[in-house]
Amino acid sequence: MTDFLLDLNDVQRQAVRATEGPVMVLAGAGSGKTRVITYRIAWLIKNGYASAKNILALTFTNKAAGEMRHRVDVLLQQGSAGGLWIGTFHSIFARLLRNDIHLLGYDRNFSIFDADDSKSLIRQSMGELNISPDSVPLNTLQGIISRAKNSFILPEEFRRSAGDYNQQIAAKVYDLYTRKLRENNALDFDDLLIKPLELFREHPMVLEALQDTFRYLLIDEYQDTNKAQYLAAKMLSAKHRNIFVVGDDAQSIYSWRGADISNILNFQDDYTDALTFKLVENYRSTGTILQAANSVIRNNLRQIKKELVSHRSAGDPLTLIEARNERHEAEKIGEYIHSIRIEKGYEFRSFAVFYRTNAQSRVLEDLMRQNRIPYKIFGSVSFYKRKEIKDAVAYLRFLLNDRDSESLLRIINFPPRKIGETSIGKLREFAEAEGITLYEAITRADEGQFQSRLVNSLKGFSSLIEALRLLAETGTVYAVLTELFSLTSIPLLLKEENTAESLARHENLQELLSMARDFSDNNPDQGSLGDFLETISLASNYDESQDSDNYVSLMTVHASKGLEFPVVFITGLEERLFPLNCYEPEQLEEERRLFYVAMTRAQEKIFLSWAQTRYLYGQPQYCLKSMFISEIDSSIVKTESGTVLADRKERQGTRNAVPESGGYRQRPAGAVSAPSQKPRESGLREGSTVHHAVFGQGTVLDVQGRGAGQKALIRFRNAGEKTLMVQYANLRVL
């Protein structure tokens, strides 16, 4: 049996052989965690510790479950793993519920409602409770209820603890929605996690039988478990205590969907006799990449300390790209891809470009097309194919061509105007009878036999279109789109919905607005609405994959988890973008973990890029370089000119040293000493106390320049020293 484990390293082997009692394996990026889980399953079966049917292995994706099962089959030479319970939490728990859910008053042939089914039932509940979607958006309620379920908060408890208005409304809907699910003999996706907990609590004999069956419990990606999953695992393993969890707290990046990092951080508090094994030997990345990742993640306070070590050579230093704006950033990335392909013979598939938000993909996509670089968007669809973008563009198309019935039907209820299919059918009949277009029928709706409510809705719609069309005759594309968003409140509605999906859609619309501003600024003489729409049409018709699997991968950092690429570009490394609007220490630490995940996807080379200005909400904004860049060991980062960042900092530090109390303090690069108390046109002066909406209270150390280019170096109490563009910073002098 010893030969069976020869291809494992020492720590992996020890973890596999620790067969009794609680075990935690902290598996750093690229350290072979899947191998440890599969070898442990095979070890238990081969050595007679348990038969396959006595082992339960839980994962988070069907892909991971399939890969594990295949590996176990290979190790056991097929067949021996028959009866092994391995799958996602949801699939395994659904299987368990089929046997015993009748004890909770459901039939065994219960339905599982998907997100759309769930949404429809919540909508019915809102209707019966006379709750208007205008008061609380349906998606908001669905999100609140889902988070409550994942935290195993049932309707009665949720009602008692409901705080703000949205939660109080959600409490009413949650209660009725739960009753309606039971009436339909149905469970939603979240119920697959909480119904087993209810079953275990109300019928302990069921739990005891499962505990006797599953003598060994293994959980992959333990850092991603939520409270319901944590409780289920604890209850199932309580009798034999053979719980084996594998994960990495440094890669916990899903708190927004319910993951609780404290589950892995507190594992040894839950199981004081637990054995812990740290897998730190990385088989993916060069030593330099791991040195960079280690230097960043050690800044987190809530973590289990470990340092990744490379199985490979040191490799190339990281390269810092400093761009004027987001377009310049994308251009540089394209240039590097071409030059590296020539120099090293890499295929396009060797490159990945990461960004923090989906909206950032737009400029990157544009430049990839212009430079004939094949690409594919992962984890999302191409920018111009996203629903909210197609909806907004349909408005613009219809302004130019009111015979475009496809665009008309797309926008007539965006945002909702309560113009249903029946009303549209009657409008079609009216148009055909009069021999006019569908839009003409809308403008002449008062001539038809329609209800006054419908006539008023149609008049409001046509008035909007005519106002925008008038503006389009003389105004810029940016002006038209700004007015559209203002009159319809589409972005505002998405922002107020406050779900992960709605906020991403809001960001995409703001990026479209930025694109329109950029287009208008760069095409003052021929930037017509038609030209703008032609640009979008050509872009949206681009064949991303080029009928090949050889393409550059574009994705958010979240979508990159579990993947690896020889060359990685991490873009948009600016304050308030990456890290993204962090106001709490816990949020900042998760952003840092996200950056750590991005870096540890790279095998050979990392490029870090940031832009000095970036369009935001259609306006150019001055950007501050991300704090994460400064957290990387500067001796392993080079500028594009080849200068080691540590050397540049040392030279700049010497040049900018100024006397202070008999010694020296260092000014950041670019800061220029100004005469004390010299007033500036903004009213700022050295020594002023100011307040910033994000960074709080601070003291002005230096002011440089005048007018639109004026910058201020400020030391904030809680955020440290920041250099801000005064015209964008909205500083209040105290």
Side-chain angles (χ1 to χ4, degrees):
M1 293 302 174
T2 304
D3 292 343
F4 176 66
L5 304 180
L6 283 179
D7 54 348
L8 301 181
N9 64 37
D10 288 342
V11 182
Q12 291 172 335
R13 201 157 33 242
Q14 292 171 33
V16 167
R17 285 174 163 170
T19 55
E20 302 305 313
V23 176
M24 176 169 64
V25 178
L26 290 170
S31 64
K33 69 177 180 63
T34 304
R35 170 175 288 195
V36 169
I37 295 176
T38 53
Y39 270 75
R40 179 180 173 85
I41 294 172
W43 176 263
L44 291 171
I45 295 173
K46 271 198 169 187
N47 288 275
Y49 290 100
S51 62
K53 66 181 181 181
N54 298 131
I55 299 172
L56 171 60
L58 297 170
T59 71
F60 276 85
T61 66
N62 290 318
K63 179 181 178 182
E67 182 181 351
M68 284 186 192
R69 183 176 292 278
H70 172 72
R71 290 197 190 188
V72 172
D73 284 340
V74 171
L75 289 171
L76 295 177
Q77 301 173 342
Q78 304 289 334
S80 303
L84 178 67
W85 287 66
I86 182 169
T88 64
F89 278 90
H90 292 87
S91 65
I92 292 293
F93 287 2
R95 184 176 167 186
L96 295 177
L97 287 169
R98 293 290 178 194
N99 293 327
D100 297 302
I101 199 169
H102 64 282
L103 297 173
L104 294 178
Y106 292 80
D107 292 337
R108 287 191 175 97
N109 61 342
F110 60 85
S111 299
I112 299 175
F113 278 11
D114 63 17
D116 288 337
D117 298 328
S118 170
K119 190 175 292 185
S120 176
L121 203 59
I122 291 175
R123 186 182 293 111
Q124 288 181 37
S125 302
M126 293 173 68
E128 291 185 21
L129 293 167
N130 295 317
I131 298 171
S132 169
D134 295 332
S135 60
V136 183
L138 187 153
N139 287 342
T140 299
L141 292 178
Q142 186 178 35
I144 293 173
I145 293 170
S146 178
R147 286 191 294 274
K149 287 188 172 188
N150 281 295
S151 298
F152 195 42
I153 301 174
L154 301 180
E156 184 176 347
E157 181 184 352
F158 186 82
R159 184 172 59 252
R160 290 197 303 266
S161 61
D164 61 23
Y165 174 78
N166 284 359
Q167 288 187 340
Q168 292 174 22
I169 296 296
K172 298 177 183 178
V173 175
Y174 186 9
D175 183 63
L176 180 57
Y177 169 64
T178 300
R179 284 187 273 128
K180 282 187 168 294
L181 280 170
R182 184 179 287 271
E183 290 170 8
N184 283 272
N185 191 41
L187 305 181
D188 65 18
F189 206 56
D190 298 318
D191 283 330
L192 296 177
L193 298 181
I194 68 170
K195 288 303 175 185
L197 297 177
E198 292 183 44
L199 184 65
F200 298 163
R201 288 186 174 184
E202 295 178 22
H203 301 277
M205 295 299 290
V206 173
L207 174 60
E208 187 176 353
L210 291 173
Q211 290 172 340
D212 287 336
T213 298
F214 301 129
R215 292 175 50 222
Y216 289 90
L217 173 62
L218 301 90
I219 304 176
D220 187 24
E221 303 285 10
Y222 191 65
Q223 77 280 351
D224 293 335
T225 53
N226 59 33
K227 184 176 181 180
Q229 291 160 333
Y230 162 80
L231 290 172
K234 195 168 185 180
M235 295 170 83
L236 285 169
S237 63
K239 185 171 185 178
H240 296 286
R241 302 184 74 253
N242 293 325
I243 180 171
F244 184 91
V245 303
V246 180
D248 182 7
D249 58 294
Q251 296 186 73
S252 178
I253 58 174
Y254 296 118
S255 66
W256 50 275
R257 67 183 190 195
D260 187 350
I261 191 175
S262 64
N263 292 345
I264 192 168
L265 293 179
N266 297 335
F267 185 82
Q268 289 181 306
D269 293 331
D270 291 332
Y271 305 94
T272 55
D273 59 335
L275 296 176
T276 299
F277 299 93
K278 295 183 181 181
L279 303 184
V280 295
E281 188 169 1
N282 177 284
Y283 295 88
R284 174 189 300 152
S285 308
T286 65
T288 299
I289 290 171
L290 298 185
Q291 184 180 346
N294 288 333
S295 65
V296 170
I297 200 63
R298 69 170 59 106
N299 289 281
N300 272 5
L301 297 178
R302 295 186 72 209
Q303 64 168 306
I304 303 173
K305 296 288 186 180
K306 60 184 176 300
E307 296 266 325
L308 292 178
V309 295
S310 180
H311 195 66
R312 306 176 53 200
S313 61
D316 294 337
L318 286 68
T319 297
L320 178 62
I321 299 173
E322 299 177 307
R324 294 187 300 275
N325 51 45
E326 64 265 47
R327 178 165 290 274
H328 188 215
E329 177 186 48
E331 288 171 351
K332 287 193 171 192
I333 290 169
E335 291 168 1
Y336 275 114
I337 290 174
H338 280 309
S339 64
I340 294 173
R341 289 188 71 239
I342 293 171
E343 179 185 348
K344 296 195 173 184
Y346 282 174
E347 300 282 357
F348 285 116
R349 66 172 64 89
S350 299
F351 301 90
V353 183
F354 300 158
Y355 35 84
R356 180 62 184 84
T357 67
N358 273 308
Q360 291 169 254
S361 77
R362 197 269 304 174
V363 177
L364 292 164
E365 289 184 67
D366 289 348
L367 267 295
M368 293 288 170
R369 285 190 299 271
Q370 292 171 20
N371 288 282
R372 299 182 179 276
I373 298 175
Y375 71 90
K376 184 174 182 180
I377 301 283
F378 279 79
S380 180
V381 296
S382 179
F383 181 81
Y384 299 105
K385 295 180 181 178
R386 294 168 192 165
K387 178 186 180 301
E388 60 278 8
I389 300 302
K390 295 181 74 171
D391 289 341
V393 169
Y395 267 105
L396 303 182
R397 286 192 175 129
F398 191 71
L399 296 181
L400 285 184
N401 176 19
D402 62 18
R403 301 178 68 86
D404 182 352
S405 60
E406 289 300 315
S407 291
L408 173 58
L409 293 175
R410 190 173 190 103
I411 65 178
I412 197 166
N413 265 316
F414 177 68
R417 297 185 176 91
K418 298 181 179 179
I419 304 173
E421 291 296 326
T422 302
S423 298
I424 292 173
K426 292 179 179 178
L427 278 169
R428 286 185 186 277
E429 293 174 1
F430 178 55
E432 290 173 3
E434 296 294 321
I436 57 179
T437 67
L438 187 58
Y439 182 62
E440 287 178 293
I442 288 173
T443 60
R444 292 168 52 183
D446 52 358
E447 300 176 21
Q449 296 181 345
F450 300 114
Q451 294 181 355
S452 58
R453 179 195 60 78
L454 176 60
V455 172
N456 290 334
S457 294
L458 295 173
K459 280 186 175 180
F461 174 72
S462 61
S463 297
L464 168 69
I465 295 299
E466 294 308 313
L468 292 171
R469 180 172 289 150
L470 184 64
L471 178 59
E473 291 176 1
T474 56
T476 64
V477 175
Y478 172 69
V480 173
L481 200 58
T482 299
E483 188 70 1
L484 168 64
F485 289 170
S486 174
L487 293 175
T488 60
S489 299
I490 294 168
L492 181 62
L493 293 172
L494 290 172
K495 194 170 184 179
E496 289 178 344
E497 192 174 304
N498 199 33
T499 64
E501 179 185 356
S502 69
L503 293 176
R505 292 171 63 195
H506 174 268
E507 290 171 355
N508 289 332
L509 288 178
Q510 297 306 331
E511 179 59 25
L512 182 66
L513 190 64
S514 294
M515 178 188 177
R517 174 62 183 268
D518 191 25
F519 182 86
S520 299
D521 289 348
N522 289 290
N523 299 277
D525 298 323
Q526 49 185 350
S528 69
L529 182 56
D531 293 331
F532 182 72
L533 291 173
E534 183 177 324
T535 300
I536 290 178
S537 295
L538 292 174
S540 60
N541 288 331
Y542 177 76
D543 181 7
E544 296 171 356
S545 66
Q546 303 285 296
D547 297 322
S548 167
D549 63 353
N550 187 23
Y551 45 72
V552 174
S553 298
L554 306 184
M555 66 188 75
T556 64
V557 183
H558 279 102
S560 75
K561 191 168 181 290
L563 303 177
E564 58 184 39
F565 303 90
V567 182
V568 164
F569 294 85
I570 308 175
T571 67
L573 282 167
E574 298 132 32
E575 292 294 304
R576 304 190 70 185
L577 183 55
F578 200 0
L580 181 68
N581 291 331
C582 290
Y583 307 113
E584 299 295 335
E586 292 81 6
Q587 293 175 325
L588 179 58
E589 292 210 347
E590 179 147 333
E591 290 290 307
R592 188 175 283 112
R593 292 194 294 269
L594 192 59
F595 184 51
Y596 174 86
V597 166
M599 288 192 291
T600 53
R601 301 309 94 197
Q603 296 169 301
E604 307 288 343
K605 176 72 177 178
I606 293 178
F607 289 86
L608 310 167
S609 69
W610 73 287
Q612 295 170 342
T613 61
R614 188 177 294 272
Y615 275 101
L616 184 65
Y617 302 115
Q619 301 293 331
Q621 302 288 328
Y622 181 80
C623 303
L624 299 172
K625 186 165 57 178
S626 171
M627 68 174 69
F628 295 156
I629 295 176
S630 64
E631 291 177 356
I632 299 173
D633 185 339
S634 57
S635 68
I636 56 173
V637 182
K638 285 188 175 181
T639 65
E640 292 179 89
S641 64
T643 303
V644 177
L645 207 58
D647 295 341
R648 186 173 79 168
K649 286 182 177 180
E650 185 177 341
R651 289 197 300 271
Q652 290 173 336
T654 303
R655 184 171 63 247
N656 293 313
V658 294
E660 182 182 72
S661 302
Y664 288 87
R665 65 182 169 94
Q666 303 297 319
R667 290 192 186 279
V672 178
S673 178
S676 178
Q677 301 300 311
K678 181 178 179 180
R680 308 292 175 127
E681 57 190 82
S682 63
L684 291 181
R685 63 183 64 185
E686 189 173 341
S688 296
T689 301
V690 296
H691 182 271
H692 185 272
V694 175
F695 303 130
Q697 187 169 317
T699 302
V700 177
L701 301 180
D702 184 35
V703 183
Q704 349 168 14
R706 293 180 178 276
Q710 190 177 61
K711 304 177 187 178
L713 173 64
I714 305 170
R715 180 186 290 125
F716 292 98
R717 289 180 178 177
N718 299 320
E721 292 188 6
K722 306 285 183 184
T723 301
L724 306 179
M725 287 289 286
V726 173
Q727 70 166 335
Y728 300 129
N730 293 322
L731 296 168
R732 179 163 56 89
V733 180
L734 302 179

